[in-house]
Amino acid sequence: MAALLDLVDPLIGTDSHYGFSTGNCLPLAQMPFGMTAWSPQTGEGGWFFDRRARKLQGIRAARQPSPWIGDYGHFNVMAQTGQLMTSPGNRASAFRLDKSVIKPHYQRFDLIRYGTRMELTPTKRAAHFRITFPKGKTGRVLFEPCAGASSFEIDLDHHCVGGSTSGRAGGCPENFACYFFARFDRPLASFGTFEGNDSHEGSTKHEGQRAGGYAEFEGGGEVNLRIGTSFISIEQAARNLEREIGNAAFEETLERAGRVWEEALGRIEIEDPDEAALRTFYTCLYRTQLFPRIWHEEDEANRLVHFSPYDGQVHEGVLYADNGFWDTYRTMYPLLALLQPERLAEILQGWTNAYKEGGWFPQWASPGYRACMVGTHIDAVITDAVVRGVKDFDVETAFEGLLKHAFHPGDEAGNFGRIGIEDYKTLGYVAADRHDSSVARTLDYAYDDFCIAQVARSLGRGDEAEALMARTKNYEHLWDAGAGFMRGKNADGSWQEPFHEFLWGDPYVEGGPWQSTWAVQHDPAGLIRLMGGPEKFVQKLDQMMTSEPLIEVGTYGFEIHEMTEMACADFGQYAQSNQPVHHVLFLYTAAGYPWKTQYWVRRVMDEMYGDVFPGDEDNGEMSAWYVLNALGLFPLCPGHPSFVFGSPRFRRVTIRPEGKPEIAVEAPDNSSGRPYVSKVTVNGQDHEALWIDHSVLASGATIRFEMSELASTKVVTDKALLPVSIP
């Protein structure tokens, strides 16, 4: 079998733009969960890499979790010969993407204009560059920070440069800065600083707006550049560089990076002849290893410390950043619980430290508080870990933060807490005439209450658990049986008008009634009853999957990219391009029709993944959906310790969880024309349930699926087969 890294294509998902997303991804060279990633830059702004572009402006030290969120603390490294040109547009060189190499652990670009080759390989907080200039020519390396106050300084005696940039795209306190320290392996022949197009030859120090600098080397040939980054100081950046690279040769740094990535990807070993599907799978698995990113560093005493974007101070302990919980709670965190429970525990301690430093859990951490999306779905992230046995973090303190979500007003701007919480507590729903996104908020709050109640139970907090469980059916307040959908309701109990089944936007979020009504993961049995029983419920799902993808733009005022992506997918009103429907196909199984889940899940995997993603690949969530479904396992309800069976994609898979026994998933008679499951055994015993408990997997298990080209259409009616329901 080829090295797993050879199966990863970071360019998948990068052919996107404002109006249409095939992933909105960047081709990142980055260590798993690394603090700093590295990406080619062809332009500036949110979409700073365009795979159709033919000129390269440099290699960016990037942290951007999404073009909609933006980058922060970034800077650019570019090689050059000939006339000094400092602005991105003027210095850009022609390059050929088809002649470049882009892998998770290595990138190589030939700058045609300059006859120069740039190579890089990453570590967690640093990178090793190897730049090869034409023989006999003076070569130049430029450092340019992002917009904002910055500094640059040159140490001639030690062939080093250092600097900082405070450029930020929200979520950063006033005293935020990214620091860098770089060391060359050759003396500097000449040097200077610049700001915009204004350069200062011979200058060793400059502060200003976007203050950069350059170093020149005589005679051409190879130059090694080692760069460390930090959020604490230039001295800490130098410390990170020495610890992670030191004086290692480029090939040594590259070999270490490759070994780490092979180990990360090798947690799942697949035996199957379908190489195209293997490439899709391992590319997705790579994407699940990028976010959230590490923010902590090791100080001079080897203590883990971090600069906190929540209070602007340096604290001991771990911290992570760059995550939108509205997206990632659905698949990313359950996958981490399965594959990397130790890493997950550290991440959750990081989020708990964020709560202690800022007083609230973040809504969208990038790197600190950001007002984006609805619900407080870190409730589901923490709960899902706890019920799956991941408890090696400060659960008691985390529970304090979860309770604040449920009972106390947060930030009116939406940076943290629940907008409309007072309505929700008194009316049982968020009033549409008082708050936007009222249906989405109400459904999310009811589900999040269910999640927090599970943590309360695990801690023996019975009173809080009972109070929260009493609110988990609040979704029923918004069910309009006449319309057949969840609807916005005003404070006086009247329905919000107008209502159209294809109308997107307020009171929904990034969807309309068809995409949003199903957000009752915690009580599918209750939702089925509301819709008239399993048969009518399944008819409604069928209608969703096969109806015309009609759209009314509603309060958005124009056709946003999620609408376009759904309309072009040919899956009816099912919008795999966005997260609200990502559990919906498993509601067929909850209603007792598992073969319909199997049919549609396999179609989505085969038709909507491959050279592209179905929509925004948000922090690994879209990829984790594929990875889990390829394994035949899906968390219908994060916060409940179960995986529902789907349609496994490969003939044999060996899962090697961190610190746990191996799990085998076998489907030896599998193929693209055999999506249906006729029988399941677990550890050699017949398994009648349509789901499996996480604890069985964590103990080591062999799951064997018998696959068929014909559906077994026997309806399952035993309610005990449903993974979760509320009496």
Side-chain angles (χ1 to χ4, degrees):
M1 183 178 176
L4 298 179
L5 277 167
D6 291 338
L7 295 170
V8 176
D9 185 358
L11 287 171
I12 290 175
T14 62
D15 190 11
S16 302
H17 54 81
Y18 176 87
F20 195 87
S21 174
T22 67
N24 266 331
C25 298
L26 291 167
L28 300 177
Q30 175 186 330
M31 296 303 285
F33 307 100
M35 190 175 87
T36 302
W38 304 86
S39 172
Q41 175 179 308
T42 61
E44 297 193 277
W47 286 263
F48 67 79
F49 173 76
D50 180 355
R51 65 184 296 169
R52 300 168 189 263
R54 293 296 179 262
K55 290 194 289 186
L56 188 69
Q57 296 179 351
I59 310 300
R60 179 186 286 204
R63 296 172 186 87
Q64 179 169 290
S66 163
W68 308 107
I69 295 295
D71 211 343
Y72 61 91
H74 47 289
F75 61 91
N76 210 282
V77 179
M78 182 59 172
Q80 187 182 77
T81 61
Q83 181 182 355
L84 173 66
M85 292 189 175
T86 56
S87 69
N90 289 343
R91 70 171 182 251
S93 168
F95 82 113
R96 287 185 57 177
L97 190 60
D98 62 326
K99 299 290 186 181
S100 304
V101 178
I102 297 181
K103 293 293 181 184
H105 69 310
Y106 174 70
Q107 294 187 355
R108 186 190 76 208
F109 304 98
D110 289 330
L111 308 179
I112 300 171
R113 171 181 175 182
Y114 302 123
T116 296
R117 172 168 288 182
M118 294 185 72
E119 300 171 88
L120 72 96
T121 185
T123 69
K124 285 183 183 177
R125 305 170 184 87
H128 196 149
F129 282 74
R130 181 167 63 189
I131 303 171
T132 306
F133 294 106
K135 288 185 178 181
K137 284 196 173 184
T138 296
R140 183 183 303 112
V141 178
L142 299 95
F143 299 82
E144 183 187 39
C146 59
S150 54
S151 66
F152 189 84
E153 187 170 0
I154 300 170
D155 179 351
L156 290 174
D157 293 336
H158 299 95
H159 325 316
C160 297
V161 302
S164 67
T165 176
S166 61
R168 55 189 182 271
C172 297
E174 289 297 319
N175 64 336
F176 164 81
C178 172
Y179 303 89
F180 63 88
F181 176 86
R183 178 162 43 84
F184 294 100
D185 67 343
R186 288 171 54 178
L188 281 60
S190 55
F191 49 88
T193 61
F194 62 87
E195 186 172 340
N197 288 315
D198 186 14
S199 61
H200 310 278
E201 184 178 357
S203 168
T204 61
K205 188 174 183 179
H206 187 63
E207 294 184 3
Q209 295 294 312
R210 207 167 185 177
Y214 63 90
E216 295 185 344
F217 307 89
E218 291 182 342
E222 182 178 304
V223 175
N224 276 266
L225 167 64
R226 301 166 174 90
I227 307 177
T229 63
S230 171
F231 297 122
I232 296 174
S233 66
I234 293 178
E235 293 74 20
Q236 183 63 45
R239 189 174 295 119
N240 294 340
L241 173 60
E242 291 307 311
R243 284 181 170 155
E244 297 185 7
I245 299 179
N247 293 316
F250 184 86
E251 295 298 340
E252 183 181 351
T253 311
L254 176 63
E255 190 277 332
R256 285 200 302 251
R259 189 169 62 246
V260 171
W261 266 112
E262 285 289 334
E263 180 182 351
L265 298 170
R267 289 193 183 95
I268 302 180
E269 180 184 348
I270 299 174
E271 300 170 43
D272 196 278
D274 189 341
E275 186 169 329
L278 290 175
R279 290 185 180 278
T280 300
F281 182 89
Y282 283 107
T283 298
C284 286
L285 189 57
Y286 148 76
R287 289 283 170 195
T288 70
Q289 300 292 293
L290 302 179
F291 299 98
R293 70 174 68 258
I294 292 167
W295 252 61
H296 48 273
E297 311 173 46
E298 289 186 26
D299 68 8
E300 67 280 3
N302 299 317
R303 297 173 302 181
L304 291 179
V305 295
H306 62 268
F307 173 83
S308 173
Y310 300 97
D311 66 1
Q313 304 298 314
V314 175
H315 299 269
E316 288 194 28
V318 300
L319 191 71
Y320 282 75
D322 297 334
N323 222 235
F325 303 112
W326 186 85
D327 305 289
T328 55
Y329 86 86
R330 305 166 195 268
T331 57
M332 255 301 296
Y333 284 97
L335 178 64
L336 286 175
L338 181 66
L339 283 185
Q340 297 167 266
E342 294 175 9
R343 168 77 69 178
L344 177 56
E346 181 178 272
I347 290 171
L348 295 180
Q349 185 57 54
W351 298 134
T352 303
N353 289 340
Y355 161 68
K356 291 192 292 185
E357 292 153 19
W360 288 83
F361 281 113
Q363 186 89 331
W364 218 114
S366 182
Y369 293 123
R370 300 288 289 271
C372 186
M373 309 313 291
V374 301
T376 50
H377 289 314
I378 198 169
D379 306 340
V381 168
I382 290 171
T383 301
D384 193 64
V386 169
V387 300
R388 295 183 191 276
V390 180
K391 300 180 181 179
D392 191 16
F393 67 102
D394 188 352
V395 179
E396 291 273 1
T397 299
F399 180 64
E400 291 177 10
L402 303 187
L403 280 182
K404 288 184 75 171
H405 292 160
F407 294 107
H408 299 284
D411 175 43
E412 291 184 2
N415 288 288
F416 48 79
R418 300 180 182 179
I419 290 176
I421 185 63
E422 295 300 334
D423 272 1
Y424 180 77
K425 289 194 298 184
T426 58
L427 300 174
Y429 59 92
V430 177
D433 54 344
R434 293 175 177 170
H435 302 284
D436 64 15
S437 310
S438 61
V439 171
R441 295 185 195 280
T442 300
L443 300 183
D444 284 351
Y445 297 170
Y447 165 64
D448 289 333
D449 283 346
F450 164 83
C451 290
I452 302 171
Q454 310 315 304
V455 181
R457 285 172 171 169
S458 75
L459 296 175
R461 305 282 288 267
D463 290 345
E464 286 100 335
E466 184 177 347
L468 289 161
M469 288 301 293
R471 305 191 324 193
T472 57
K473 282 190 174 289
N474 279 349
Y475 67 87
E476 294 180 348
H477 292 297
L478 300 189
W479 172 250
D480 181 357
F485 293 100
M486 300 290 178
R487 283 188 63 179
K489 183 178 284 188
N490 298 319
D492 64 4
S494 61
W495 294 116
Q496 183 188 32
E497 298 292 352
F499 175 82
H500 303 289
E501 62 182 292
F502 304 119
L503 191 68
W504 280 46
D506 189 48
Y508 312 98
V509 170
E510 293 187 359
W514 274 109
Q515 296 74 39
S516 306
T517 291
W518 316 97
V520 190
Q521 302 96 308
H522 62 292
D523 190 17
L527 183 62
I528 290 167
R529 286 194 297 271
L530 282 184
M531 291 193 177
E535 186 175 346
K536 290 185 178 180
F537 182 80
V538 168
Q539 289 173 357
K540 188 84 169 183
L541 286 170
D542 287 344
Q543 185 181 356
M544 178 187 196
M545 303 304 298
T546 58
S547 63
E548 291 294 318
L550 301 176
I551 303 163
E552 295 180 42
V553 299
T555 54
Y556 286 104
F558 66 101
E559 186 172 308
I560 63 174
H561 74 93
E562 290 90 349
M563 299 175 188
T564 310
E565 292 144 16
M566 185 194 79
C568 293
D570 198 26
F571 277 73
Q573 290 289 326
Y574 177 79
Q576 178 70 17
S577 56
N578 206 22
Q579 283 72 26
V581 303
H582 279 190
H583 68 290
V584 167
L585 299 182
F586 290 86
L587 293 175
Y588 277 119
T589 297
Y593 292 65
W595 70 91
K596 288 181 177 284
T597 294
Q598 295 153 17
Y599 169 81
W600 286 111
V601 163
R602 183 66 71 90
R603 276 197 60 186
V604 171
M605 282 194 285
D606 288 352
E607 297 177 31
M608 300 184 75
Y609 286 80
D611 294 334
V612 298
F613 289 103
D616 282 358
E617 208 299 278
D618 289 311
N619 311 146
E621 194 280 337
M622 193 75 71
S623 289
W625 189 97
Y626 184 93
V627 169
L628 287 162
N629 276 292
L631 301 178
L633 305 169
F634 192 82
L636 169 60
C637 178
H640 186 274
S642 58
F643 289 102
V644 179
F645 293 136
S647 178
R649 185 63 182 79
F650 299 108
R651 296 183 181 182
R652 179 176 171 83
V653 177
T654 302
I655 305 169
R656 300 186 176 94
E658 191 178 55
K660 300 288 184 181
E662 290 186 356
I663 304 162
V665 179
E666 300 174 344
D669 50 352
N670 205 348
S671 70
S672 60
R674 301 172 69 88
Y676 300 107
V677 176
S678 59
K679 183 179 180 181
V680 179
T681 62
V682 176
N683 296 328
Q685 302 296 314
D686 288 352
H687 189 85
E688 297 298 327
L690 302 178
W691 59 282
I692 190 168
D693 194 273
H694 185 97
S695 62
V696 177
L697 300 177
S699 300
T702 297
I703 309 171
R704 186 179 179 89
F705 294 88
E706 292 187 9
M707 308 301 294
S708 173
E709 61 185 12
L710 300 175
S712 174
T713 57
K714 179 182 177 182
V715 177
V716 179
T717 58
D718 185 349
K719 292 181 181 179
L721 297 183
L722 298 176
V724 59
S725 62
I726 299 171

